[in-house]
Amino acid sequence: MIPVAFDYVRATSADEAIAALAEHGDEAKLMAGGHSLLPMMKLRLAYPSVVVDIGRLDDLSYVNDAGDYLAIGALTKHRMIETSDLVKEHAPLLAHATGQVGDPQVRHRGTIGGSLVHADTAADHPSALLALGGSVMVKGPNGEREIAGTDLFAGFLESSLEPTEMVTEVRIPKHTGAGWSFQKFNRRAQDWAIVGASIQQVEGGARVALVNMHPTPTRSAAVEEAISGGGGAAAAEQAHVGMEPSSDLNASVEFRQHLARVLVGRGLNEAGI
Amino acid sequence: MEISVEVNGVTHSSDVEPRTLLVHYVREAVGLTGTNIGCDTSSCGACTLHVNGEAVKSCTMLAVQADGQSVTTIEGLAPSDDEMHPMQTAFMECHALQCGYCTPGMVMASVSLLDENPSPTEAEVREGLEGNLCRCTGYHNIVKAVLSASGGGK
């Protein structure tokens, strides 16, 4: 399978990438590691006429301690995040979830920024971002702005970035020493989750985000409210509430609802909630 | 687009279409056909090779992304014509191949695995090779070979 022909532009800075987006508009797409975009281009589900390669912006590949949060460059590869001592100490949920993405080869190339803006409800990273209360910094022709994780996922495979914006940094508030769990149900090791859940203990309750249970990565308000109300692990019974999962080859709607309740239940137990 | 890629220690310059996949570049422009194409959807790992020393799936990378980088294929693994790489020897001794189609990718993924974790447990080997499928289902001997190459599992 070969993508539709395109023009290739290699950006040497974020500003250059943004300028290329501004010049080519909707016809252009940014490519970081290419592990979400390239498969879609090979299937011809995406056919940008200009690909702007940002994969060499090494100054956007880092994990830094920024005080009460971790600053992670958008171009940081999964492998670096899953093995980062800083991430393992202050956001172990993110380190673990990152280690569940694809397989080692995929994690050598894929980036956290690329994965998040791909906005796939079946992906592992978005749920971890939501459960950790994280945000992304984006840059465009008019400067920088911060988008909270809860505002990042606009629709099916659609982020809330403008066509001329790019993610530069992911910010993850520290959750040092707090309970957490990442649950993923799939049939083969390297597959996407049929259903998954990210759970992070916070003061007075927990954040619970579900994978592949809704057109967008989504927090479960019903479970979070039940936990705050003292519901404990029984809060998992609410995991299907408010979700509109799809039915596909892997699972029916009813099976997904069942999986959500079971996985959230296991996760709440593992996180000590 | 003009690109220059170091493949197995030799620099190759070629004019490629930007949409050329790295695996097609290696097989057709460089002429090294040891890297196989299996699923062509980044699932099976048959096309695994190393870019700057790390295992990647070359069906999910553009040749232009490898411009100026160092690529190692299965042909470049052995130190000389009459000496195999220790991982190749281990695969031979443990009978870690049946039809052989997944083998180049398995070997390249296994070498990368041991670079990152020189003394893995059996479970770590199985998990570390999650990106490579063997449709003969010969996994047991493949895992034995990797453990043997690591000096463990005896």
Side-chain angles (χ1 to χ4, degrees), chain A residues 46-111:
Chain A
Y47 31 86
S49 54
V50 179
V51 169
V52 182
D53 185 357
I54 54 171
R56 298 184 189 214
L57 304 185
D58 291 338
D59 56 330
L60 291 181
S61 172
Y62 56 82
V63 178
N64 290 335
D65 190 330
D68 54 359
Y69 67 92
L70 296 177
I72 302 175
L75 272 296
T76 311
K77 295 191 168 75
H78 302 324
R79 172 73 188 163
M80 187 166 156
I81 294 170
E82 75 172 295
T83 56
S84 158
D85 289 335
L86 271 178
V87 180
K88 284 194 257 188
E89 183 180 353
H90 300 296
L93 166 61
L94 179 66
H96 180 81
T98 304
Q100 301 301 305
V101 175
D103 52 53
Q105 290 98 315
V106 168
R107 299 196 291 274
H108 284 149
R109 293 289 305 165
T111 67

Side-chain angles (χ1 to χ4, degrees), chain B residues 28-106:
Chain B
E28 290 161 24
V30 183
L32 295 172
T33 54
T35 305
N36 286 334
I37 301 173
C39 70
D40 202 10
T41 56
S42 51
S43 296
C44 79
C47 66
T48 300
L49 45 68
H50 294 180
V51 174
N52 299 333
E54 286 184 331
V56 304
K57 293 182 169 177
S58 58
C59 75
T60 309
M61 190 168 162
L62 299 169
V64 289
Q65 290 178 292
D67 183 20
Q69 316 288 309
S70 165
V71 169
T72 307
T73 69
I74 188 73
E75 290 95 337
L77 207 53
S80 71
D81 280 350
D82 25 72
E83 196 186 343
M84 287 198 286
H85 184 279
M87 189 64 74
Q88 292 172 310
T89 307
F91 267 61
M92 188 182 75
E93 287 177 348
C94 296
H95 192 66
L97 59 153
Q98 292 179 39
C99 85
Y101 199 83
C102 73
T103 309
M106 280 288 181

